[in-house]
Amino acid sequence: MQEKVSPVPVHVGIIMDGNGRWARQRGQIRTQGHLEGLKAAKRVVKAASDRGLRYLTLYTFSTENWKRTTEEVGFIMGLVKQYLRGELDFYRENHIRIRHAGDIAGLPADIAEEIRRAAEDTLGCDGMQVILALNYGGRDEIVRAVRRLTASGGQAEISEETLSAHLDNPDVPDPDLIIRSAGEFRTSNFLLWEGAYAEYYISPKFWPDWTEEDLARALENFRGRDRRFGGAVTGGAVK
Ligand code: FPP
């Protein structure tokens, strides 16, 4: 049973949107927006770790993002690789563990290998866990979970518990808060199952402009939420 009030979210998911618009606004190419988006991700990971968050899921590349140009896809994959390699010391120093959510089999072999290596190298880190949602789609995750569940035994019982147990990271608690930058009010296939009772926070700022202060604002906003998980309103005046 989850607590009704959670002053600091345990698990935050972020839809890092607006890289392209950020670049366009400055007359730059889209990839420049992704480059700045990576810098924002680094700032926010550090801030989230410093603030004691336990899990941070970053929506880095969706199962639908393959529709983008070969150049853009290649650029994002290159950034991921660079990020995983270049930040390893930072993770170890900050006791941050790297994990992955999504269909790893559908990723280029070198990227999949990089993810496995980073996950292995940070396995012993007991601080915040950063989950890179890469080639991730909520529907795809549910389909893969059902496949795993039905393949695991002829008479597999289908229930919320057994399906949850076959998701990509079954030990990770559901997100308390999902943040989306760039002002869109959409889930875009992010953590569909796990986010059933997540609180949403939409920021108008494009992702590359995000700083530690924006995270602080989102967490402060979360503190004021009355989480009922489907239960009735108990306190306060109802008019
Ligand atoms: C959404 O903005 C962003 C993406 C699809 C890519 C996210 C990638 C990064 C932030 C860089 C890599 C980060 C890590 C953590 C390795 P958009 O391109 O859809 O923007 P738009 O809607 O304005 O076009």
Side-chain angles (χ1 to χ4, degrees):
M1 185 72 184
Q2 280 175 283
E3 288 291 316
K4 186 177 160 197
V5 174
S6 180
V8 177
V10 173
H11 181 182
V12 173
I14 307 186
I15 302 172
M16 307 179 287
D17 196 16
N19 293 351
R21 276 164 283 172
W22 182 94
R24 197 173 56 204
Q25 204 177 52
R26 288 161 178 76
Q28 296 174 5
I29 51 172
R30 294 179 56 80
T31 47
Q32 192 60 33
H34 295 315
L35 195 60
E36 293 302 318
L38 175 62
K39 291 180 193 166
K42 288 183 193 174
R43 289 194 291 272
V44 171
V45 165
K46 176 80 171 78
S49 166
D50 289 349
R51 286 173 169 270
L53 264 62
R54 300 301 302 158
Y55 303 89
L56 182 70
T57 300
L58 298 175
Y59 203 8
T60 308
F61 193 86
S62 77
T63 44
E64 287 73 42
N65 286 154
W66 298 106
K67 292 176 195 158
R68 298 184 179 208
T69 64
T70 315
E71 188 204 4
E72 184 171 345
V73 170
F75 189 87
I76 294 174
M77 291 298 158
L79 276 188
V80 170
K81 200 166 168 175
Q82 177 193 323
Y83 177 69
L84 290 170
R85 281 201 184 166
E87 297 298 299
L88 206 56
D89 287 345
F90 163 80
Y91 287 131
R92 290 219 196 89
E93 278 159 26
N94 288 277
H95 314 285
I96 294 171
R97 180 177 164 193
I98 298 292
R99 300 177 71 167
H100 173 253
D103 184 8
I104 200 159
L107 283 167
D110 60 326
I111 304 294
E113 188 46 41
E114 210 63 58
I115 291 168
R116 284 198 193 95
R117 196 188 49 78
E120 209 174 287
D121 287 351
T122 59
L123 193 61
C125 294
D126 60 0
M128 186 175 79
Q129 301 193 12
V130 170
I131 301 147
L132 287 183
L134 194 69
N135 195 25
Y136 177 87
R139 288 182 173 180
D140 179 66
E141 184 187 23
I142 294 167
V143 169
R144 287 185 292 102
V146 171
R147 284 197 191 123
R148 284 195 284 255
L149 175 56
T150 51
S152 65
Q155 300 295 313
E157 185 207 345
I158 311 280
S159 68
E160 291 192 14
E161 286 71 27
T162 57
L163 201 143
S164 291
H166 288 82
L167 293 171
D168 289 343
N169 295 295
D171 59 303
V172 174
D174 288 345
D176 304 291
L177 174 66
I178 292 180
I179 294 170
R180 181 166 189 147
S181 58
E184 310 279 2
F185 288 70
R186 278 198 287 277
T187 65
S188 296
N189 209 6
F190 185 52
L191 300 178
L192 293 185
W193 179 278
E194 302 89 333
Y197 275 99
E199 297 293 321
Y200 268 78
Y201 177 85
I202 313 294
S203 156
K205 277 176 114 171
F206 295 144
W207 178 249
D209 287 329
W210 259 61
T211 65
E212 185 179 346
E213 284 72 43
D214 295 293
L215 180 71
R217 263 192 287 277
L219 299 184
E220 184 52 36
N221 183 283
F222 175 81
R223 277 164 59 89
R225 304 285 179 100
D226 176 20
R227 303 188 75 196
R228 297 192 294 277
F229 299 99
V233 176
T234 49
V238 178
K239 293 195 177 115

